Structure formats: C-alpha cells, structure tokens
C-alpha cells in the first residue's frame, strides 16, 4: 500500500471505484460543506475537494478536506499550481497529511483570468506534472524537492487529471504517459461526452500499457439542461460535447431533461464498468450533490465496498 | 527589442504637478523604434504638458533632450551640464534607462514617462508582440524555438494543459496555444521525442538582480 487511503484500497482490491466532488463555499460557512457532504456520504469512495476552482476564491481545499474527515468522508485534496510556489505547496502537503489527508490530485489550475481576481499574479512555479513528481519524491524518497531529508514522510495516493479531448488528440495519450512516468497512481479524466473518442483514447492507453501502471477513473457529469450542454460545448475550453447529446436532451419530454441527462450518465457508467482499462468513475455532479444518491443508485454502484 | 508604452497623460501630469522646471529625456534606441519614447514622443508629451499647465494657470518650463541610449554612461554624460537647471526629470526610456539616469543624478527626482512592457518583435508598424521574458535558461532548443515561458499563459514546461482548445489557449480564442504550436512544429521536424520525456522543475534564474560579465571581461574596480 502506498498510502492506505480508502480509494487506494478499493482500487487495489479490484473494485470499480466511484468518487465524488465537492466545491468549498465562497465564505467560511462550515454548514454548507457539511450539507453537501451528507449527500455524498456512503455513496462514494472519496470526494475531490476543489482548489479555488475556476480561479474563484473559496475556502481552501485542505481546510474543507478536514471538515470532510470530521464528517467521516475521505477527501481527495486537489492542489493547483496557479496559487502557490514550491515552498507553499510542500508545506501544505505536509500539513494536509499530518491531519489525515491521504489522497491528492495534482492540477495546473484554470488561468486566473477566468476568476474573480483576473489580475492576480499566476504563480506556476512548477507545473502539474512536476507537482506529481514532487509528491512522489516526498513519498518514495523522503525528501523535499531540494533534496533535503524530510522528518516524517507524507504517504499520499497521487492523482492527476487527463483530458482526452483537448488538441492535439494524438498527443493526449503521450501526456498521460508523462504523468504516469512522473508517478501518478490514479487519473481522473475530464467530463466525457464523446464516447467514441474516449474509447479510442483508452485503447491507445491500453496499447501503451499505461492502464496497468495507473488506475483510470472516467469523468462523468450529468447534464442538467440543454442550456448547460450548450454552454459546456461552446464555452468551456477543452470540452467535447457531440451534437447528438444536445439533440437527445432536446428530445426529452418537458420536465424530463435532467432525468435524461442522468439516464445518459448511467448508460456511460454501465459501459465504463465493462471497458478494459477503466477502473472506476469520477462523478462530478457540480452543484448537484443532492442528486448523487439517486445517481449512484441508478448507476448500480451501491453499496460502496468496504475494504480493510 | 525592449518595448514600452507612453503612460496615460493624467498620470504623468499628476507626478510632476509640483515642479516648475522639468527636463524630459528621450532615448534614441529601443523606445524610439517602438514609438514610445524617442525625440518625437518627447516633443509631443512636452506640448501636451505645456498646454495643460497653461490651462491650469500653473505654467511650467520644459526642456527636451534625447540621448542615444540611456542605459549607457557614455551617452548620459551629455546631460551633466544641463541637469542642474531643472527641478525634476521625466525619462521616456525603458525601466533600465530610467534607473540608470537616476543613478547618475541621485539628487534629482526622476519620473517614468512610459510603462515598459517587455521584449518584443515588430509585427507591423506600431504593433509589437512579446517573445522572451529573459528567464536566463533558454529552452528554445527543446521547444522548437517557441518560448513556453512567454507564449504559454501558464509558463508550462510540460504542456499543453487540458485547456488547449482547437489550437488556441484557454485564455482566449485569439491567443494561439504555445504548446499546440510547439507540438506541431516538432512533429513537422520529426523531433517529438524532445517533449516525450518529462522536464523537471526549473531552477529560476531571475529571482535576484542579475549581473553579466562576458568571457574575457571583468567587473570594473568601482562599478556603480
Ligand atoms: S526560454 Fe523563453 S524566456 Fe527563457 S530565454 Fe528562452 S525565449 Fe527567453
Ligand atoms: S492552453 Fe496552451 S498556451 Fe494556454 S495555458 Fe494551456 S498549454 Fe499554455
């Protein structure tokens, strides 16, 4: 065991993992975190806690992760490269581990231009792949990035993101390979809507042997409305939403669009369960946490396994 | 070359509002080429100040002098005899020139007339595009001569990030993704191997004021 986190145990035991996501509040309201967490409890193996997502200031990721721990859920502490340099990153990793956080997700981070402080200085001292390598180095070699020895070693289960749909498509699997080489234990992908392209991506990853070296959790976000689908298609960089999906949602009965969105998500999950090289699903029900129990039920991923 | 942009007039006017005699010093090199701080721009700014101060009933006496290069002692010498007549100086050189001029005349308040905006190339008349942030450890050999520090909005060394969007950067559809172009050019040259391997964290070289001594030269005994 690298970290002994619940997520690691579930994956290692060969179960199909199911992870969730929670965005911390734009303030210090603990109740808001607890409320969202209640919907996820027992329905997912681990919960990603976003780090100033879309470059909007929120309660810090490690702090919200601690609230989750107190509530009896396992957090997956996200860390972006935009807001901290290598000193602050390593310090936060140590602090997070000391408080019981065992999973991390290493990301570049959306550009600050998108957020509420567009003129902030973007740090990007190191990039996401370098961050993976830094965390692995801390864990496996017991040293800081500088080479100095650590007193007390943070044993994190190291995650990274992968976007199979950004251009150039041929390069995507190589970028995944770089993340694996840098030392990531699991991957959570960008939200998948274009299944055909994803099948091709996974096939490439299988052919390169990458899916044997890292666990792949396929990213799923159920569409709530036609407007959301169109927004994702046109406004979110690196997102691939085929027209069929939009048509399918448009074809749904009045008042049943969200239901159709969940139905499509469940069909995806059924396919992922059978897909070679996919080890689980990462459910990003953005501001839709209360729907997760229903989605998990309908996707037949309950009860979640308990592994000792 | 180094490019700069003339500061907004109101800002300049505010900086010098308490002075009655001001010398405006242009620079004949980079900032003259990029139309921000050469002889012509000095004359234009002085005319604007002169007019505005008259309207405010607060007339000012202005001097104008453009030296070949403000980042060179040799050319600043010509100011030695004139500077004493003035209460303050506006420098329209880049940030380097402004500081160098101020170092030579430590008793004079010196004000910037331009905002220095980087090292850029001339794409068309009056249009400049940044290309280098002088990081001190050039990786253009790896990246098909496209700078990841300057041209990638996140300065990534292992790009592209997940935000690259049909060849543009996530920040703007008008901004090409540097890493997309690096990929394209390396592929065209059959050199994709360059970026298949992981690039470790950079040792930033631009965190303290840097000095440079070319081979065969040494630091003068009494360097300023
Ligand atoms: S890598 Fe970029 S910033 Fe650094 S010296 Fe080369 S061109 Fe300039
Ligand atoms: S989209 Fe391309 S240029 Fe923009 S931040 Fe990402 S890698 Fe850099």
């Amino acid at each position: 065991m690298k970290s002994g986190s619940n997520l690691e145990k579930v994956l290692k035991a060969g179960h199909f993992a199911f992870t969730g996501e929670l965005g911390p509040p734009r303030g210090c309201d603990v109740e808001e975190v607890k409320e969202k967490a209640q919907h996820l409890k027992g329905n997912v193996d681990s919960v990603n806690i976003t780090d100033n997502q879309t470059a909007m200031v929120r309660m810090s990721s490690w702090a919200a992760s601690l609230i989750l721990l107190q509530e009896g859920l396992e957090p997956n502490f996200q860390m972006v490269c935009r807001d901290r340099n290598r000193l602050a990153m390593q310090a936060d990793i140590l602090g997070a581990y000391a408080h019981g956080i065992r999973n991390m997700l290493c990301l570049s981070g959306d550009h600050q231009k998108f957020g509420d402080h567009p003129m902030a200085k973007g740090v990007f001292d190191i990039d996401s792949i370098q961050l993976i390598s830094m965390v692995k180095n801390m864990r496996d070699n017991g040293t800081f990035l500088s080479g100095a020895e650590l007193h007390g070693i943070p044993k994190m289960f190291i995650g990274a993101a992968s976007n199979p749909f950004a251009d150039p498509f041929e390069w995507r699997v190589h970028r995944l390979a770089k993340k694996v080489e840098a030392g990531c234990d699991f991957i959570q992908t960008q939200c998948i809507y274009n299944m055909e392209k994803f099948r091709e991506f996974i096939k490439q990853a299988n052919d390169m042997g990458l899916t044997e070296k890292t666990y792949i959790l396929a990213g799923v976000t159920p569409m709530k409305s036609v407007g959301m689908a169109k927004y994702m298609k046109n406004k979110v960089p690196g997102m691939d939403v085929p027209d069929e999906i939009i048509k399918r949602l448009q074809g749904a009965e009045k008042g049943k669009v969200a239901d159709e969105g969940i139905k499509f998500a469940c069909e995806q999950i059924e396919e992922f369960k059978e897909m070679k090289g996919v080890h689980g699903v990462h459910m990003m029900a953005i501001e839709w946490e209360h729907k997760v129990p229903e989605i998990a039920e309908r996707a037949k991923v309950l009860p979640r396994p308990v592994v000792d | 070359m180094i490019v700069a942009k003339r500061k907004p007039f109101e800002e300049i006017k505010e900086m010098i509002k308490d002075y009655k005699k001001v010398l405006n010093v242009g620079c004949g090199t980079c900032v003259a080429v990029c139309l921000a701080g050469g002889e012509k721009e000095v004359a234009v700014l002085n005319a604007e100040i002169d007019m505005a101060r008259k309207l405010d009933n607060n007339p000012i006496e202005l001097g104008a002098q453009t030296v070949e290069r403000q980042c060179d002692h040799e050319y600043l010498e010509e100011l030695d005899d004139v500077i004493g007549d003035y209460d303050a100086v506006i420098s329209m050189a880049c940030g380097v020139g402004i500081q160098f001029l101020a170092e030579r005349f430590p008793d004079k308040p010196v004000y910037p007339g331009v905002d220095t905006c980087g090292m850029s190339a001339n794409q068309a008349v009056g249009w400049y595009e940044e290309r280098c942030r002088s990081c001190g450890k050039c990786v253009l050999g790896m990246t098909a001569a496209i700078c990841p520090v300057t041209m990638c909005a996140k300065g990534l060394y292992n790009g592209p990030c997940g935000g690259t969007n049909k060849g543009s950067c996530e920040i703007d559809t008008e901004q090409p993704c540097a890493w997309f172009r690096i990929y394209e050019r390396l592929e065209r040259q059959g050199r994709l191997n360059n970026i298949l391997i992981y690039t470790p964290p950079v040792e930033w070289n631009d965190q303290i004021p840097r000095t440079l001594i070319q081979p065969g030269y040494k630091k003068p005994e009494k360097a300023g």
Side-chain angles (χ1 to χ4, degrees):
Chain A
M1 249 342 130
K2 287 167 173 168
S3 69
S5 75
N6 182 55
L7 180 60
E8 181 179 8
K9 285 184 198 158
V10 166
L11 286 165
K12 199 153 185 239
H15 296 292
F16 189 77
F18 193 66
T19 56
E21 187 154 312
L22 187 156
R26 298 258 296 152
C28 48
D29 186 359
V30 177
E31 292 311 315
E32 203 180 315
V33 183
K34 288 186 178 171
E35 205 276 321
K36 285 181 176 177
Q38 284 324 307
H39 303 298
L40 299 168
K41 196 169 179 178
N43 296 317
V44 294
D45 302 318
S46 168
V47 181
N48 285 38
I49 307 295
T50 55
D51 182 14
N52 285 344
Q53 109 202 46
T54 61
M56 304 279 277
V57 181
R58 289 165 183 275
M59 181 189 290
S60 57
S61 170
W62 64 260
S65 294
L66 293 194
I67 300 174
L68 249 75
L69 277 177
Q70 288 157 9
E71 292 297 295
L73 287 91
E74 176 171 283
N76 178 10
F77 168 41
Q78 294 196 183
M79 182 180 272
V80 300
C81 298
R82 179 194 58 230
D83 304 334
R84 319 164 171 76
N85 69 7
R86 57 189 83 179
L87 276 83
M89 286 174 146
Q90 293 178 96
D92 279 353
I93 293 164
L94 296 179
Y97 188 82
H99 283 285
I101 292 168
R102 295 292 177 265
N103 306 304
M104 261 192 80
L105 192 78
C106 307
L107 304 166
S108 306
D110 297 316
H111 196 272
Q112 59 276 13
K113 178 175 181 272
F114 294 107
D116 57 352
H117 295 73
M119 294 306 171
K121 184 171 169 66
V123 181
F124 302 109
D125 178 20
I126 59 175
D127 65 29
S128 61
I129 305 190
Q130 293 163 345
L131 173 57
I132 296 167
S133 155
M134 184 169 84
V135 187
K136 181 179 158 69
N137 184 54
M138 289 171 94
R139 181 187 72 196
D140 295 351
N141 301 328
T143 58
F144 288 104
L145 183 57
S146 65
E149 207 174 306
L150 279 153
H151 301 291
I153 292 170
K155 297 212 173 281
M156 290 287 187
F157 193 46
I158 308 167
S162 170
N163 183 355
F165 308 106
D167 297 309
F169 180 67
E170 315 76 66
W171 179 249
R172 287 293 133 187
V173 75
H174 295 292
R175 186 161 162 81
L176 173 65
K178 274 173 104 163
K179 292 192 173 182
V180 173
E181 181 202 336
C184 79
D185 304 309
F186 69 101
I187 288 282
Q188 291 173 320
T189 77
Q190 169 74 290
C191 317
I192 300 161
Y193 297 104
N194 187 338
M195 292 296 280
E196 206 180 304
K197 220 168 187 181
F198 185 70
R199 287 180 204 117
E200 199 179 325
F201 173 77
I202 279 291
K203 187 180 176 301
Q204 291 172 353
N206 284 335
D207 291 347
M208 283 173 70
L210 299 173
T211 52
E212 280 152 36
K213 295 185 190 146
T214 194
Y215 300 106
I216 310 260
L217 309 193
V220 174
T221 293
M223 292 288 192
K224 293 187 219 178
S225 63
V226 175
M228 171 178 171
K230 286 189 174 160
Y231 179 83
M232 295 263 239
K233 182 183 176 74
N234 301 320
K235 292 274 159 26
V236 182
M239 192 75 81
D240 184 345
V241 182
D243 289 330
E244 302 101 74
I245 306 291
I246 296 179
K247 283 206 195 95
R248 181 168 163 181
L249 293 169
Q250 280 167 335
E253 262 173 68
K254 207 164 167 263
K256 291 269 187 192
V257 180
D259 193 66
E260 193 62 35
I262 294 179
K263 213 167 135 202
F264 175 65
C266 291
E267 288 166 21
Q268 288 183 294
I269 296 171
E270 286 308 325
E271 183 173 346
F272 292 139
K273 285 182 192 165
E274 304 302 323
M275 201 181 278
K276 179 173 180 264
V278 175
H279 308 92
V281 157
H282 177 48
M283 174 56 56
M284 290 166 276
I286 306 158
E287 294 303 322
W288 226 23
E289 291 81 2
H290 65 279
K291 281 280 188 187
V292 171
E294 180 195 331
I295 298 169
E297 184 71 51
R298 286 173 64 178
K300 303 191 190 72
V301 293
L302 295 180
R304 295 311 310 148
V306 179
V307 186
D308 286 326
Chain B
M1 82 187 138
I2 297 174
V3 301
K5 197 167 85 194
R6 223 286 303 274
K7 271 189 176 293
F9 180 69
E10 288 305 321
E11 189 183 337
I12 299 176
K13 190 180 153 206
E14 176 66 22
M15 286 192 288
I16 58 163
K17 67 177 189 308
D18 297 328
Y19 302 108
K20 298 285 180 206
K21 264 190 104 171
V22 172
L23 176 64
N24 188 352
V25 186
C27 180
T29 307
C30 306
V31 289
V33 179
C34 74
L35 316 172
E39 196 171 0
K40 191 168 137 248
E41 289 76 32
V42 167
V44 170
L45 177 60
N46 277 5
E48 279 180 76
I49 299 172
D50 187 55
M51 175 118 57
R53 292 282 288 257
K54 270 187 192 140
L55 285 172
D56 289 351
N57 271 329
N58 180 19
I60 183 170
E61 204 177 304
L62 291 157
Q65 190 141 348
T66 296
V67 301
E68 184 68 28
R69 273 204 297 285
Q70 287 190 33
C71 57
D72 206 323
H73 280 301
E74 190 186 331
Y75 298 107
L76 287 176
E77 230 177 78
E78 61 188 88
L79 298 174
D80 290 359
D81 298 333
V82 288
I83 205 109
D85 297 340
Y86 295 91
D87 310 329
V89 182
I90 297 172
S91 164
M92 296 190 73
C94 72
V96 178
I98 300 168
Q99 293 184 57
F100 213 52
L101 176 133
E103 278 164 35
R104 189 170 182 97
F105 308 109
D107 298 327
K108 286 287 163 214
V110 174
Y111 294 92
V114 301
D115 292 314
T116 302
C117 308
M119 293 200 279
S120 303
N122 196 347
Q123 280 287 29
V125 183
W127 174 16
Y128 306 89
E129 282 180 3
E130 192 177 15
R131 285 289 185 272
C132 172
R133 297 257 169 97
S134 65
C135 76
K137 205 153 198 176
C138 197
V139 295
L140 290 176
M142 168 182 80
T143 58
I146 294 166
C147 173
V149 183
T150 315
M151 306 308 289
C152 165
K154 298 177 189 167
L156 306 176
Y157 280 75
N158 292 285
C161 72
T164 170
N165 203 6
K166 301 180 190 75
S168 6
C169 171
E170 68 175 32
I171 60 161
D172 193 341
T173 46
E174 298 287 301
Q175 178 64 42
C177 167
W179 275 97
F180 185 81
R181 295 176 57 196
I182 291 169
Y183 173 87
E184 275 187 329
R185 198 181 286 171
L186 284 174
E187 189 190 34
R188 181 172 168 172
Q189 298 175 1
R191 296 200 294 145
L192 274 177
N193 272 346
N194 273 10
I195 54 170
L196 281 175
I197 35 168
Y198 155 76
T199 303
V202 178
E203 291 173 13
W204 296 109
N205 284 290
D206 55 356
Q207 305 301 297
I208 51 165
R210 293 171 285 183
T211 53
L212 168 69
I213 302 160
Q214 298 291 20
Y217 292 81
K218 57 181 200 280
K219 196 173 168 183
E221 292 293 310
K222 265 188 75 189

